Amino acid sequence: MALTELFSAHRSCTTCPYCGVGCGVAATRETTPDNQGGEEDVIRIQGDDQHPANKGKLCVKGSSLADTLGNHGRLLKPQLHGEECEWDTALNFAATKLRETIDAHGPDSVAFYLSGQLLTEDYYVANKLMKGYVGTANVDTNSRLCMSSAVAAYKRSLGADAVPCNYEDLDEAELVVLIGSNAAWTHPILFQRMQASKAKLVVVDPRGSATSEMADLHLAISPGSDAALFNGLLHYLTEFGALDQAFIDNHTENFTDALYAAAEWTPEKVADHCSVELEQLLEFYELFRNTEKAISFYSQGVNQSSTGTDKNNTIINCHLATGRIGKPGCGPFSITGQPNAMGGREVGGLANMLAAHMDFTEENIDRVGRFWNASNMAQGPGLKAVELFNAVESGQIKAVWIMATNPAVSMPDARRVANALKNCPTVIVSDCVGDTDTARCADLLLPATTWGEKTGTVTNSERRVSRQKGFLPKPGEARHDWEIICDVAKRLGFSEAFDFQSPADIFREHAALSGFENNREQARRAFDISALANISDHEYDFFTPVQWPVNADNPQGTARLFSDGDFYTPNGRARFVAVQPQSPKQETRDEYPLVLNSGRLRDQWHTMTRTGRARQLLDHSEAPELHVHPQEAEKFGIQDEQLVRVESEKGQFFGRARVTPSQKPGQLFAPIHWSDSLAHNATVSALAIPYTDPFSGQPELKQVAVNMEPLTAHSYACLLLRTEAAEELHSRLQIGEAKLFETILHWYRVPVEGGYRFELALKKQPDWQALADKLFKLSDKQLNRKQLQLPSGERWLLHSEQMEFLVFTSAEWHSLPDRKTLENALLEPLPDAPAKLLHDVPAGAQMVCTCLQVSRKEIETAIAEGAASVDELGELLGCGTNCGSCKPEISALLNTNLAVAVG
Ligand SMILES: Nc1nc2c(c(=O)[nH]1)N[C@H]1C(S)=C(S)[C@@H](COP(=O)(O)OP(=O)(O)OC[C@H]3O[C@@H](n4cnc5c(=O)[nH]c(N)nc54)[C@H](O)[C@@H]3O)O[C@H]1N2
Ligand SMILES: Nc1nc2c(c(=O)[nH]1)N[C@H]1C(S)=C(S)[C@@H](COP(=O)(O)OP(=O)(O)OC[C@H]3O[C@@H](n4cnc5c(=O)[nH]c(N)nc54)[C@H](O)[C@@H]3O)O[C@H]1N2
Ligand code: SF4
Ligand SMILES: [Mo]
């Protein structure tokens, strides 16, 4: 089918499916000449200049969305026990298993595990089904790993899970303190706004990052020591008379308790405890004291902790003490990770929430039960993520349905989670791709539509509800998540309550529930979008992004909360929380002397099921990495780019060392994106012990006690295969075929046009001919051999005539040829290519600017030749001139290279 027929409109406005900034995206269909002299339709993705979150800008992930579309790797038909089946069979299986399990073991023997990447409408029906009709609150979500401590802290102090600030506050702020946030990479469009605002930037992060690179001040505190830092700030503000006493008196409570807990945290003690220079610390404290318009912008560096809620509260305390909340340019701003983490929170899709910002009080259970006309209301909180998978392991939960998340990779102690799922009697997984670590544990795989195909709403970090709009048809037999859930609900006997005809239908009910008995006398809730309860289908289709509350009092929405100093606590006062700082639970010791930190890279999204499909997004980093300080590298005998094995009490992880002074000694950092299905031993979360925060249940993922050792390979190989053979090899690698692993120490795979490239570290040279015979099912692919002596070492090439099997090997990783040239050889098998490749320049051209394909080497050369600023380099090479996400790295290259030149 031509795209012309597929595309419902010439231009479609939707939102980006990645981070919580929630940028507006305009997708347009354009006709361009194709290779054969004809024309083809292409989808062009641009920033929506009408959307208030981004005003037309997109970061590199958003700009690359078009390259992630297409059916390759998609799950297109349901699969039952590994065999494709009809939808009817699949839905009946799901309903029957759920019904049988509930009948035999009660409602609490089933669970849903959802995701902040579902749309609000999907979330709403899933939550309603479980909490209103199945009768259990075992509905949790990956937001537990992400935002739950921020939620718990807001509720403790402000009385509601309500983000006070908005993005315009970032434009107005004079000081932004980024705490445990690498926003330059994780919320790039907001970071660009901060930079444009001329606000001073302070970054609190144990390691150097693209964000700290651009900061006026970087406090590299010791891991997990944030609460002491902010207790100290509260103490300091008090000592210097910087309190807003009127605000404290009129709008808060419990100040003295918080102050009492903070009293011991003198600057000297904080500096010592957090391992920062006293001078630097005082510089920060003074800046905060003297800057009225100050925003604290925080994320996973504080949330993913066994005391994350407390840490959040120490930050909020400082804003309450100075009255810097509810005013332009200030506030405690928890920044959301996933595109719809906020929507999930609004719906109540967390095990400790009932629905629409109501928790499990008797009145709320009754209220929601009446609204839903529900037959079997859950009577109390359910199991939170870590408890939920423990219950799967212990057999208490016997049927689990996982949607839009990959817990076999992202949960702490991930391999144990995967094993628990493998042993669970019924596992249903809804995903848009079929080949994930979690999908591999499923009995039933349900093909879901994804971004570009599905329609609904999402809420971004500033409480702004926007439309995601499908502009492509459903591929294969994929169906929308809300449809799948409603169909199962109907088969469970709840036809009337799930008789929704469209996402708009669901949205109207969701909006109505948010306003139902929502008032001071009954149950006042921050989340209220009741003004949207009667919107027409047409209005829903052309929805203008709006910030909640949107109700009779605020029909146009609400940009900023708490401007009147009235909070959602019973007495309307915000609460200070007294906090005793705690160390991470995963303590280092002789056996495990290092702290492993983990987080995100600029160009990848989580477990790479979508960004991993866009070849150019792998240019920035294509393999599992491990960042190590030079001193530590020396101590452990680790060379730059050497393969390293990291081990914790729970498991192991293999990554290529990046020796960098941005890391502190004693600490390591690994990106979270790779998993065991993309590389050997690549699941970082498998190392974490699942200690959780007592209030939120969020696990401690940022501080894992580990040890490491360098691995020495006999030699390295780079193997190119066309799709079919590549898939054959991949499945053999994934099941850990013993014969293969006699020769292979480590592997990872990169998708390239027409096939895959495998990078192998070898224990010894395999019998390549035998491997080729196996992969091509013995089809007479006699391999040619060539050898070349290079200054860097010997290089071998083996290839079949048609180049469907092309392998270079060498004792040195560095003397393997340039990968880009290699990949082209797969695409255009020229007769002289192998010989040419044998001589080609060695690899190592790491891309800094993904959009314009400018490598680190080119930038360094230009700097050496006199380019002295980011703008100058942009003019010269183009780098940084499209989405701008790489500017912090260009700036870092300038800093180091100019310093070298001067020094
Ligand atoms: N490119 C990209 N962007 C993303 C995502 C993605 O996958 N890729 N995912 C999205 C999601 S779901 C989320 S939740 C956000 C996360 O956004 P961020 O929280 O900004 O990202 P992370 O890289 O997880 O962690 C942030 C920083 O916390 C630091 N940190 C570690 N320990 C501590 C500590 O003890 N104290 C302090 N102060 N800092 C510490 C880490 O060194 C790291 O630099 O990103 C969103 N945006
Ligand atoms: N060590 C460590 N672990 C971490 C973190 C960390 O910083 N360190 N961060 C944590 C955080 S903050 C997060 S948010 C999690 C993220 O971890 P996950 O949620 O497990 O990761 P994703 O890759 O985003 O998984 C989303 C899945 O949904 C699928 N999908 C996409 N669109 C749709 C759709 O419309 N419908 C359906 N049904 N499926 C869809 C994708 O293909 C993918 O398989 O990881 C957590 N784990
Ligand atoms: S900042 Fe980038 S990833 Fe986040 S919503 Fe905008 S375009 Fe998407
Ligand atoms: Mo997240």
Side-chain angles (χ1 to χ4, degrees):
M1 207 189 317
L3 274 176
T4 338
E5 292 162 50
L6 307 182
F7 213 80
S8 42
H10 173 67
R11 185 171 191 271
S12 193
C13 286
T14 178
T15 43
C16 175
Y18 300 125
C19 84
V21 178
C23 295
V25 168
T28 31
R29 172 172 43 81
E30 288 175 13
T31 310
T32 58
D34 67 13
N35 296 339
Q36 276 88 42
E39 285 189 332
E40 63 176 351
D41 288 322
V42 292
I43 304 252
R44 201 167 299 289
I45 299 294
Q46 282 166 311
D48 176 0
D49 47 17
Q50 301 298 310
H51 199 288
N54 57 317
K55 300 176 182 147
K57 289 187 168 174
L58 291 179
C59 79
V60 60
K61 291 184 300 303
S63 323
S64 306
L65 271 167
D67 303 316
T68 65
L69 302 173
N71 285 0
H72 178 67
R74 285 292 298 272
L75 184 62
L76 297 171
K77 214 173 152 60
Q79 284 178 22
L80 183 58
H81 299 127
E83 300 290 329
E84 289 193 343
C85 69
E86 296 306 318
W87 266 109
D88 211 36
T89 314
L91 295 169
N92 284 338
F93 176 86
T96 309
K97 286 292 175 187
L98 289 172
R99 172 53 64 209
E100 284 174 2
T101 313
I102 296 162
D103 287 348
H105 307 282
D108 289 335
S109 63
V110 299
F112 282 6
Y113 186 61
L114 311 176
S115 160
Q117 293 167 69
L118 288 169
L119 304 183
T120 299
E121 291 74 4
D122 302 327
Y123 243 123
Y124 181 84
V125 287
N127 194 55
K128 180 180 178 185
L129 172 57
M130 287 295 263
K131 291 181 185 155
Y133 294 83
V134 171
T136 178
N138 286 342
V139 180
D140 216 41
T141 146
N142 63 358
S143 292
R144 183 69 59 196
L145 317 177
C146 179
M147 304 311 305
S148 59
S149 286
V151 172
Y154 272 149
K155 283 170 77 170
R156 270 210 300 193
S157 65
L158 313 178
D161 173 19
V163 178
C165 318
N166 61 46
Y167 298 165
E168 277 170 13
D169 288 328
L170 291 169
D171 304 334
E172 285 197 42
E174 285 159 14
L175 170 66
V176 180
V177 188
L178 295 113
I179 309 130
S181 154
N182 183 12
W185 281 6
T186 53
H187 298 96
I189 296 301
L190 284 189
F191 190 68
Q192 288 181 14
R193 270 176 95 150
M194 290 176 210
Q195 288 189 292
S197 80
K198 305 273 180 276
K200 284 233 188 252
L201 297 186
V202 175
V203 171
V204 182
D205 193 317
R207 69 180 184 122
S209 64
T211 307
S212 70
E213 198 62 54
M214 305 308 277
D216 297 282
L217 178 64
H218 174 203
L219 294 174
I221 61 169
S222 44
S225 65
D226 302 78
L229 180 73
F230 285 92
N231 261 359
L233 177 59
L234 183 64
H235 172 78
Y236 177 92
L237 294 168
T238 314
E239 294 284 292
F240 279 86
L243 303 177
D244 184 339
Q245 200 59 52
F247 185 85
I248 296 172
D249 292 344
N250 298 329
H251 301 295
T252 72
E253 62 185 13
N254 209 26
F255 178 61
T256 11
D257 284 359
L259 198 58
Y260 187 74
E264 63 177 289
W265 293 97
T266 60
E268 290 73 18
K269 182 168 170 178
V270 174
D272 181 54
H273 181 87
C274 300
S275 315
V276 291
E277 299 291 333
L278 180 62
E279 208 176 303
Q280 267 203 326
L281 180 77
L282 290 173
E283 191 183 336
F284 164 50
Y285 282 0
E286 217 168 288
L287 255 176
F288 195 94
R289 168 163 75 97
N290 294 326
T291 318
E292 203 45 48
K293 291 189 169 179
I295 289 186
S296 299
F297 184 98
Y298 47 97
S299 189
Q300 301 315 327
V302 282
N303 290 352
Q304 288 171 343
S305 152
S306 51
T307 53
T309 308
D310 275 355
K311 285 176 181 168
N312 273 257
N313 279 120
T314 58
I315 298 170
I316 300 172
N317 281 347
C318 294
H319 284 269
L320 294 176
T322 48
R324 290 182 195 152
I325 185 168
K327 296 176 189 152
C330 47
F333 199 165
S334 148
I335 191 76
T336 328
Q338 297 178 92
N340 199 32
M342 189 79 93
R345 287 148 67 175
E346 293 159 11
V347 162
L350 290 152
N352 51 325
M353 296 289 296
L354 174 53
H357 273 208
M358 284 174 272
D359 45 22
F360 287 94
T361 61
E362 218 170 290
E363 296 79 32
N364 283 336
I365 296 171
D366 171 64
R367 181 170 294 116
V368 177
R370 280 185 287 117
F371 179 88
W372 278 341
N373 196 15
S375 51
N376 193 12
M377 286 297 291
Q379 297 298 311
L383 300 175
K384 299 179 182 135
V386 169
E387 302 162 337
L388 191 150
F389 287 102
N390 283 344
V392 170
E393 186 183 44
S394 71
Q396 181 194 330
I397 287 178
K398 296 181 186 336
V400 57
W401 187 352
I402 298 164
M403 300 177 209
T405 174
N406 197 354
V409 183
S410 52
M411 283 288 293
D413 205 0
R415 292 199 186 101
R416 181 156 155 217
V417 168
N419 281 334
L421 287 172
K422 281 178 192 144
N423 294 324
C424 178
T426 305
V427 177
I428 307 168
V429 173
S430 301
D431 204 300
C432 50
V433 302
D435 187 21
T436 72
D437 297 58
T438 302
R440 226 161 289 126
C441 310
D443 298 290
L444 178 65
L445 267 178
L446 300 173
T449 54
T450 186
W451 187 82
E453 299 148 8
K454 65 194 290 189
T455 282
T457 52
V458 291
T459 309
N460 73 2
S461 294
E462 56 165 358
R463 290 173 280 106
R464 193 181 293 279
V465 182
S466 295
R467 273 297 306 278
Q468 248 193 45
K469 215 168 179 173
F471 53 87
L472 293 167
K474 296 172 174 175
E477 293 182 21
R479 309 186 62 189
H480 302 314
D481 287 295
W482 70 268
E483 289 177 325
I484 304 173
I485 300 159
C486 289
D487 277 339
V488 171
K490 285 176 194 158
R491 280 170 167 77
L492 287 169
F494 312 123
S495 297
E496 210 179 311
F498 291 88
D499 190 23
F500 297 106
Q501 300 304 312
S502 66
D505 253 3
I506 303 172
F507 182 81
R508 283 185 284 264
E509 184 177 305
H510 166 60
L513 175 58
S514 78
F516 185 61
E517 298 178 3
N518 185 348
N519 53 56
R520 222 171 255 282
E521 293 69 41
Q522 290 168 298
R524 191 166 74 109
R525 287 105 68 190
F527 177 64
D528 183 355
I529 55 167
S530 48
L532 304 170
N534 296 314
I535 65 170
S536 67
D537 286 357
H538 182 80
E539 285 166 330
Y540 182 79
D541 267 346
F542 296 92
F543 193 87
T544 314
V546 63
Q547 287 166 288
W548 58 258
V550 200
N551 50 19
D553 293 341
N554 311 283
Q556 303 308 317
T558 314
R560 191 173 298 107
L561 294 178
F562 312 118
S563 300
D564 52 3
D566 184 14
F567 293 88
Y568 286 95
T569 49
N571 63 7
R573 284 171 177 267
R575 294 184 207 112
F576 281 91
V577 179
V579 170
Q580 297 293 343
Q582 309 285 327
S583 305
K585 286 250 169 62
Q586 299 173 80
E587 275 177 311
T588 51
R589 51 193 186 274
D590 287 351
E591 253 178 301
Y592 301 113
L594 304 159
V595 182
L596 174 69
N597 175 3
S598 59
R600 283 133 181 97
L601 294 180
R602 193 190 72 193
D603 293 4
Q604 293 299 339
W605 179 261
H606 294 171
T607 67
M608 293 168 71
T609 60
R610 286 170 297 162
T611 44
R613 298 152 69 92
R615 175 63 190 85
Q616 80 278 10
L617 290 180
L618 283 154
D619 282 339
H620 186 242
S621 169
E622 65 166 41
E625 298 171 9
L626 182 74
H627 300 192
V628 189
H629 186 267
Q631 195 178 307
E632 216 64 68
E634 199 184 326
K635 192 161 124 199
F636 285 79
I638 291 166
Q639 309 285 319
D640 195 35
E641 297 194 317
Q642 183 169 14
L643 197 60
V644 181
R645 194 177 83 91
V646 184
E647 187 195 43
S648 79
E649 203 179 297
K650 289 290 179 183
Q652 56 174 349
F653 163 85
F654 287 11
R656 225 181 254 287
R658 260 199 197 191
V659 178
T660 160
S662 67
Q663 243 358 88
K664 274 212 175 162
Q667 301 174 29
L668 306 170
F669 176 85
I672 58 169
H673 305 293
W674 283 269
S675 62
D676 293 355
S677 61
L678 301 172
H680 186 48
N681 277 330
T683 305
V684 180
S685 304
L687 275 61
I689 305 177
Y691 289 121
T692 55
D693 178 278
F695 304 100
S696 68
Q698 180 155 356
E700 182 178 86
L701 286 162
K702 287 280 189 267
Q703 294 99 22
V704 183
V706 297
N707 207 340
M708 66 172 170
E709 61 169 2
L711 293 176
T712 308
H714 161 274
S715 52
Y716 297 87
C718 165
L719 170 64
L720 272 134
L721 289 172
R722 299 266 166 79
T723 308
E724 233 171 87
E727 273 161 12
E728 177 66 29
L729 175 61
H730 191 221
S731 56
R732 286 164 187 259
L733 287 169
Q734 279 180 330
I735 56 166
E737 194 178 278
K739 192 90 190 121
L740 276 175
F741 283 89
E742 279 171 18
T743 58
I744 294 173
L745 175 66
H746 184 253
W747 63 271
Y748 71 85
R749 157 192 112 149
V750 178
V752 303
E753 215 170 318
Y756 287 91
R757 167 159 61 82
F758 291 84
E759 296 283 333
L760 309 173
L762 300 169
K763 293 179 193 161
K764 60 180 182 191
Q765 282 291 322
D767 180 345
W768 294 108
Q769 181 66 57
L771 181 65
D773 291 346
K774 249 195 221 168
L775 295 182
F776 293 95
K777 313 266 183 338
L778 219 61
S779 58
D780 198 21
K781 300 242 173 293
Q782 203 54 48
L783 297 184
N784 297 316
R785 276 167 197 275
K786 291 194 176 70
Q787 185 206 1
L788 182 80
Q789 196 63 46
L790 293 170
S792 53
E794 193 183 48
R795 186 193 281 182
W796 277 90
L797 162 68
L798 293 92
H799 72 96
S800 60
E801 215 51 64
Q802 298 301 313
M803 232 79 80
E804 352 24 16
F805 186 103
L806 182 68
V807 60
F808 281 85
T809 81
S810 169
E812 298 298 327
W813 188 61
H814 276 290
S815 47
L816 292 172
D818 178 66
R819 307 305 197 267
K820 278 269 152 85
T821 328
L822 263 182
E823 289 166 17
N824 287 337
L826 188 71
L827 215 57
E828 294 170 39
L830 302 172
D832 66 339
K836 196 169 143 272
L837 284 170
L838 207 55
H839 290 89
D840 226 317
V841 282
Q846 187 215 347
M847 282 305 158
V848 173
C849 177
T850 304
C851 303
L852 287 124
Q853 292 280 299
V854 185
S855 72
R856 182 188 172 126
K857 264 190 198 153
E858 288 168 89
I859 296 172
E860 283 176 339
T861 311
I863 297 171
E865 287 168 0
S869 71
V870 175
D871 289 343
E872 221 176 297
L873 284 162
E875 264 172 46
L876 217 62
L877 304 170
C879 51
T881 56
N882 185 43
C883 77
S885 306
C886 60
K887 281 184 174 176
E889 277 157 287
I890 301 175
S891 165
L893 284 175
L894 272 165
N895 288 346
T896 31
N897 287 280
L898 289 178
V900 169
V902 173

